[in-house]
C-alpha cells in the first residue's frame, strides 16, 4: 500500500539538533509514513546519531551535493508517498497537529495543505507563529515550508530550481500559486523550527 506522506530530512553537520528531529518523527512514524534522510556527508557525528534510529529511517543517502535544494530534489525523487513534507535537521514535528493534518490529507486530498509552524529565535525564549497566506506569495514567501504538505506529483513535476540558492522554496510555491493550484490552509500547528 502506498504511504500517505514521505518525510524528507536534509542534514549536514547538525548533530546538536538531529536527535530532537528524529525523536519527533519517531513519535508519529507508522505505515503511512516513509522517512528519507539525505545527508551532505556530515563529519560531526550526525550520521552516527542517525544510525541509532536504524528502524526509523527507510532510506538514508549520504553523499556530496551542491546545496540544500539539490539535496531536497534528491529526496523528492526517492519519495513513494502521496504527499511530501520537508522536516530538516533543526526542525521537529508536533505530533498532535501533524496527526490531525494527516486526517485532512486523507479526507480532502488537496494538492497542497499548508499549516502553521512556530519559529524560535536563537535564545529559544520567544516563538513566532508562521501562518500560511497564499495570496501574499505575490510579494514574499508566505508559506511555512516545514508545515506544508505538497502532492508528490506536483513536487516531482516542478521541483526546486537550484539556481535560486536561498529562495528556491519561494520560487516553487510562487509557481504553484501562479499556475492556480489550490492551497488549502489550516490553523493546525504541525512543526517547530529553531
Amino acid at each position: 500500500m502506498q504511504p500517505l506522506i514521505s518525510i524528507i530530512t536534509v542534514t549536514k553537520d547538525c548533530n546538536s539538533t538531529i536527535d530532537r528531529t528524529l525523536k519527533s518523527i519517531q513519535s508519529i512514524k507508522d505505515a503511512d509514513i516513509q522517512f528519507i534522510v539525505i545527508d551532505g556527508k556530515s563529519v560531526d557525528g550526525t550520521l552516527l546519531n542517525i544510525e541509532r534510529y536504524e528502524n526509523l529511517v527507510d532510506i538514508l543517502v549520504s553523499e556530496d551535493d551542491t546545496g540544500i535544494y539539490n539535496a531536497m530534489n534528491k529526496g523528492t525523487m526517492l519519495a513513494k508517498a502521496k504527499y511530501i513534507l520537508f522536516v530538516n535537521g533543526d526542525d521537529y514535528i508536533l505530533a498532535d497537529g501533524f496527526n490531525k493534518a494527516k486526517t485532512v490529507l486523507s479526507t480532502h486530498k488537496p494538492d497542497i495543505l499548508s499549516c502553521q509552524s512556530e519559529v524560535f529565535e536563537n535564545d529559544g525564549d520567544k516563538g513566532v507563529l508562521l501562518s500560511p497566506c497564499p495570496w501574499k506569495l505575490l510579494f514574499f514567501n508566505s508559506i511555512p515550508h516545514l508545515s506544508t504538505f505538497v502532492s508528490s506529483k506536483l513536487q516531482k513535476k516542478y521541483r526546486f530550481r537550484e539556481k535560486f540558492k536561498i529562495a528556491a522554496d519561494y520560487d516553487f510555491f510562487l509557481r504553484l500559486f501562479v499556475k492556480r493550484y489550490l492551497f488549502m490552509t489550516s490553523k493546525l500547528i504541525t512543526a517547530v523550527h529553531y
Side-chain angles (χ1 to χ4, degrees), residues 7-11 14 17-28 35 53 56 87-93 192:
I7 298 174
I8 300 170
T9 295
V10 170
T11 61
C14 56
T17 57
I18 191 65
D19 195 54
R20 182 175 59 203
T21 304
L22 296 169
K23 283 180 178 173
S24 77
I25 291 169
Q26 191 172 49
S27 75
I28 52 89
F35 182 39
Y53 293 83
L56 178 66
V87 178
N88 291 331
D90 49 4
D91 304 332
Y92 66 91
I93 287 174
V192 174

Side-chain angles (χ1 to χ4, degrees), residues 83-152:
Y83 290 92
I84 291 176
L85 176 70
F86 289 96
V87 178
N88 291 331
D90 49 4
D91 304 332
Y92 66 91
I93 287 174
L94 298 173
D96 185 55
F98 178 88
N99 287 325
K100 288 175 180 170
K102 273 179 68 179
T103 301
V104 173
L105 292 171
S106 297
T107 306
H108 297 285
K109 300 175 177 52
D111 290 327
I112 304 138
L113 172 63
S114 192
C115 302
Q116 295 186 105
S117 57
E118 195 166 11
V119 176
F120 284 88
E121 299 300 325
N122 291 335
D123 58 16
D125 289 337
K126 190 174 180 183
V128 176
L129 201 59
L130 297 181
S131 300
C133 188
W135 70 267
K136 289 184 180 177
L137 280 166
L138 297 171
F139 307 101
F140 59 88
N141 192 359
S142 57
I143 301 297
H145 202 166
L146 69 158
S147 305
T148 300
F149 304 78
V150 178
S151 154
S152 289

